[in-house]
Amino acid sequence: MALRVLFAGTPSVAVPSLDALVRAGFDVVGVLTRPDAPLGRKKVLTPSPVAARAEELGFPVIRAAKVDDEAITAIAALAPDVAAIVAYGALVPARALTVPKHGWINLHFSLLPAWRGAAPVQHAVIAGDDVTGASTFLLEAGLDTGPVYGTLTETVQPDDTSGDLLERLSHSGAVLLTQTLSAVESGAAVAVPQQGEVSLAPKLTIEDARVDWTQPALAIRRRINGVTPEPGAWTSWDGARFKIGAAALRPDITDLRPGQVRFSGGGSAAALVGTGSHALELLRVQPAGKKMMPGADWARGLANREDVVFE
């Protein structure tokens, strides 16, 4: 008899894992996800990507902002053998961990014990890690401290945003998760204690995404990539928030002070910004009240300005 699996997840990066479990033939008995949330300017109440996919597949859906007594009762009624959890968005309390006989197996997007917490991919990009990965581990009361069943590695490319990297890991991690559950089903799974240096990856705030132009250009570009697409890099210009979607290193430009912007127009239009080392070229920008646009288009409109300085 196939393993009875409860799947817990919320954002789009969790959907490939749900689909992989279905393709692998596991008996998905239900899905736990966070409640519908208002989206867009009209605040339309919208199911999470996992809820939408689960309903397409015809699975029972438990919507819960946290795993409280009501949610635990609903989970127990499904009688899962194991729970597979991918970016659910809330902690699982100790009293829920023993409901499935094989426990809760978490797909985490880092090589544990590196980057324990809610934003492992974002912190890996900001820190300039050359290699990151994913781990499956047995959930326990501590934050991402449980023994590890399996890992995979992924090279971080210089231009990777967190969104790019997470997209790749969501698919390769889905394979790792199904392999782990297959091992649990056959009795061959072995979880080993985490070993190595611990680092933490707390959820990023809007303030974490603000660019500090006194930092070296490489560190700024890593931060821009790390906070893209969420919460999104920004700086201040004329008292308003100015968003930055992408930037490139320009080590050939070293005469701009931090935050000072130089424009060029015509066919080689560009917006260059000074940093603590050399300049950055802004590739994607979003001035207040406008849509995201190429940095060159923004530069053409301001080619005669010499007084623009980001705060």
Side-chain angles (χ1 to χ4, degrees):
M1 182 179 295
L3 203 63
R4 292 172 61 83
V5 180
L6 170 80
F7 183 78
T10 297
S12 59
V13 295
V15 172
S17 287
L18 175 58
D19 285 337
L21 293 178
V22 174
R23 286 195 302 272
F26 291 105
D27 181 10
V28 179
V29 296
V31 170
L32 171 67
T33 188
R34 292 181 62 81
D36 298 356
L39 289 183
R41 291 185 177 180
K42 295 184 178 179
K43 304 296 182 185
V44 177
L45 205 57
T46 305
S48 75
V50 166
R53 183 59 180 147
E55 288 168 346
E56 287 176 357
L57 294 167
F59 296 138
V61 176
I62 303 169
R63 289 174 165 82
K66 58 182 180 180
V67 184
D68 55 13
D69 289 343
E70 183 179 354
I72 292 172
T73 299
I75 292 168
L78 296 171
D81 296 317
V82 66
I85 181 168
V86 184
Y88 163 59
L91 296 177
V92 178
R95 65 184 186 279
L97 295 178
T98 55
V99 173
K101 64 181 178 183
H102 293 297
W104 295 62
I105 295 177
N106 189 186
L107 172 62
H108 185 80
F109 296 116
S110 79
L111 295 171
L112 290 170
W115 305 126
R116 292 173 176 169
V121 175
Q122 293 87 337
H123 281 274
V125 174
I126 291 171
D129 289 358
D130 294 322
V131 175
T132 186
S135 306
T136 50
F137 72 98
L138 183 64
L139 214 60
E140 58 181 29
L143 178 64
D144 300 334
T145 57
V148 172
Y149 284 109
T151 62
L152 63 85
T153 59
E154 176 72 38
T155 300
V156 183
Q157 303 297 332
D159 293 333
D160 270 344
T161 65
S162 292
D164 297 331
L165 189 53
L166 198 50
E167 173 66 16
R168 296 202 301 275
L169 287 171
S170 72
H171 291 278
S172 56
V175 176
L176 175 64
L177 182 62
T178 59
Q179 291 171 339
T180 299
L181 291 192
S182 293
V184 169
E185 187 173 40
S186 68
V190 177
V192 299
Q194 296 181 21
Q195 295 183 338
E197 185 175 351
V198 174
S199 52
L200 300 179
K203 183 178 180 180
L204 295 172
T205 67
I206 290 293
E207 196 56 36
D208 291 324
R210 182 170 188 167
V211 174
D212 177 358
W213 297 106
T214 66
Q215 294 292 307
L218 181 58
I220 293 174
R221 190 178 72 154
R222 286 172 175 167
R223 181 160 294 271
I224 292 170
N225 288 346
V227 301
T228 299
E230 296 291 341
W234 64 281
T235 185
S236 289
W237 178 39
D238 281 347
R241 187 171 295 177
F242 183 97
K243 296 182 180 179
I244 301 169
L249 301 176
R250 286 294 301 268
D252 54 318
I253 307 295
T254 58
D255 61 339
L256 293 171
R257 66 182 187 278
Q260 181 185 4
V261 184
R262 175 183 296 158
F263 299 105
S264 58
S268 58
L272 305 172
V273 190
T275 73
S277 56
H278 54 75
L280 283 173
E281 180 175 347
L282 302 183
L283 302 180
R284 300 282 297 169
V285 300
Q286 185 177 7
K290 297 186 177 180
K291 294 182 178 179
M292 188 67 75
M293 65 176 73
D297 291 352
W298 182 61
R300 289 189 187 93
L302 296 172
N304 296 324
R305 293 280 299 268
E306 297 181 352
D307 60 341
V308 176
V309 178
F310 292 141
E311 300 170 2

